[in-house]
Amino acid sequence: MTAAPTLEDLLQTCTQSALHLEMRDGYMRDDPLLARWLNGHRDDPADRLSWWNPWLQLIHETTARGVEVRRARVVSEPVSEYIRFEYEITFRNVVSGEQIRWLPRRQATDLALPGNDFWLIDGQYLVVHHFSGEGDFVDDEISTDPQTLKLCNSAFEAVWERAVPHEDFRLH
């Protein structure tokens, strides 16, 4: 039996697009980066060696191949402490080549959104992230079901169309 591909495997082989929809107001409260930020640490964008990591390198390599990597975040306002943290470190994603947009949750009421965060790779593979109620990662599920792929692509594009580019978005 062949193991299912990981998100990293799919990103390494994708050729056109990687779409990521995030809809939670908090993730993994035990994240060491979050703990450092809560204790006052702030990354210096000019000191890339201090914050560059394998994930950012993978995204950089993916976008360097011409793959469009887009991340859309649906957030409640006023934003949570976690979203403030995420907003502040988003410069890392931008430097790695991602396009980022933010959509206030109140502007998403009439959108049909899936129940989970996901990555859609080349429109062919859906990596669904499952989290606990506390925001801790549980596992990933891979789907190639055409109807689910279509729903998630449509949801992502609807959010993307309304969302504000990172450089123009301001926290409330």
Side-chain angles (χ1 to χ4, degrees):
M1 183 162 123
T2 307
T6 65
L7 174 58
E8 290 79 4
D9 294 335
L10 292 170
L11 285 168
Q12 288 170 346
T13 59
C14 75
T15 59
Q16 298 173 356
S17 64
L19 311 178
H20 185 37
L21 183 61
E22 295 179 350
M23 298 179 290
R24 297 183 59 91
D25 287 316
Y27 298 87
M28 301 162 289
R29 298 289 298 175
D30 63 349
D31 181 342
L33 293 176
L34 174 61
R36 284 181 10 178
W37 184 82
L38 290 170
N39 286 324
H41 175 83
R42 298 299 183 262
D43 289 328
D44 177 358
D47 184 12
R48 182 173 164 158
L49 288 178
S50 70
W51 49 262
W52 194 253
N53 62 43
W55 172 258
L56 297 170
Q57 183 62 35
L58 173 58
I59 295 301
H60 175 72
E61 291 166 0
T62 302
T63 60
R65 291 194 318 272
V67 174
E68 182 179 55
V69 178
R70 295 186 287 157
R71 181 185 305 248
R73 293 175 169 147
V74 178
V75 297
S76 299
E77 290 181 315
V79 299
S80 68
E81 184 175 53
Y82 186 90
I83 294 300
R84 287 188 183 287
F85 155 71
E86 197 170 53
Y87 178 83
E88 189 164 307
I89 67 168
T90 293
F91 76 87
R92 299 165 158 211
N93 303 83
V94 173
V95 168
S96 72
E98 279 190 64
Q99 300 172 55
I100 311 286
R101 290 190 182 179
W102 302 80
L103 181 65
R105 194 171 308 281
R106 341 186 131 254
Q107 296 175 26
T109 302
D110 62 340
L111 299 179
L113 300 176
N116 297 293
D117 290 8
F118 64 83
W119 280 88
L120 180 58
I121 308 296
D122 284 340
Q124 297 178 359
Y125 294 96
L126 185 71
V127 180
V128 179
H129 296 312
H130 295 287
F131 295 93
S132 73
E134 296 298 325
D136 294 316
F137 177 77
V138 174
D139 63 17
D140 282 337
E141 171 187 353
I142 305 281
S143 175
T144 57
D145 175 68
Q147 288 185 321
T148 306
L149 296 173
K150 183 178 177 181
L151 169 77
C152 289
N153 186 66
S154 174
F156 180 89
E157 293 300 345
V159 169
W160 189 259
E161 184 177 306
R162 286 188 189 176
V164 178
H166 176 70
E167 59 273 11
D168 298 328
F169 186 72
R170 300 298 170 255
L171 295 181
H172 297 284

